[in-house]
Amino acid sequence: MSSLNKKQKKILNEKCPCQSSEKYQDCCYPIHMGQNPITAEKLMRSRFSAFALDNDEYLMTSWHSTTRPPEILKEDPPLQWIYLKIIKTEVENERGESFVTFEARYRDNGKAGKFIERSRFMREESMWKYLDGEFLKTAI
Ligand SMILES: [Zn+2]
């Protein structure tokens, strides 16, 4: 079981980075601690929160083993993830895939940026995992 890093500890009683308006401890925290995210959207939200909270360990475990990179690559200095909006969720199709389209906003060294991505998810040993994603639009 993973332990909390500084950013996670600090935010436990504050709003979750995934913009659900719930507290982190009632939202993405249990998933970061190993609870099964019931839907692909929940998993997507928990991964956004993990990016925002520098939880690389979770980013790795929530990545499908067939597409998982050897390590999480980050900008230097790391991007600050500040906003998430779920645009569309497509429920599981006959191949077992689910898609979540979202808008994410960040700051890159103080400069604002955003993109829209359609991510693909698939279960692995009954847990939803991130497979890959396609950028639909990048704009500042
Ligand atoms: Zn959350």
Side-chain angles (χ1 to χ4, degrees), residues 56-122:
D56 288 8
E57 190 185 335
Y58 179 75
L59 290 173
M60 293 300 270
T61 59
S62 61
W63 212 309
H64 202 278
S65 65
T66 58
T67 55
R68 185 190 301 143
E71 62 179 320
I72 303 292
L73 298 174
K74 287 202 173 147
E75 312 281 330
D76 184 24
L79 301 181
Q80 284 177 276
W81 296 92
I82 51 177
Y83 176 84
L84 172 70
K85 186 170 82 178
I86 305 291
I87 296 170
K88 186 181 173 192
T89 298
E90 296 163 69
V91 296
E92 201 171 351
N93 64 20
E94 69 282 356
R95 287 194 300 276
E97 301 161 329
S98 181
F99 295 88
V100 180
T101 304
F102 62 92
E103 177 185 322
R105 294 187 195 170
Y106 58 87
R107 284 188 189 281
D108 181 1
N109 223 343
K111 202 168 121 230
K114 67 174 181 178
F115 61 86
I116 294 175
E117 182 183 320
R118 181 172 178 252
S119 289
R120 185 161 65 119
F121 301 89
M122 196 179 263

Side-chain angles (χ1 to χ4, degrees), residues 15-75:
K15 284 196 175 160
C16 192
C18 82
Q19 313 274 308
S20 65
S21 79
E22 290 181 67
K23 285 180 182 176
Y24 172 57
Q25 66 178 358
D26 301 324
C27 187
C28 294
Y29 167 70
I31 298 170
H32 287 171
M33 292 292 116
Q35 191 181 90
N36 192 349
I38 318 265
T39 62
E41 181 182 319
K42 272 269 181 192
L43 179 80
M44 194 274 127
R45 287 178 171 279
S46 70
R47 282 179 53 85
F48 180 87
S49 293
F51 272 111
L53 299 170
D54 291 331
N55 187 352
D56 288 8
E57 190 185 335
Y58 179 75
L59 290 173
M60 293 300 270
T61 59
S62 61
W63 212 309
H64 202 278
S65 65
T66 58
T67 55
R68 185 190 301 143
E71 62 179 320
I72 303 292
L73 298 174
K74 287 202 173 147
E75 312 281 330

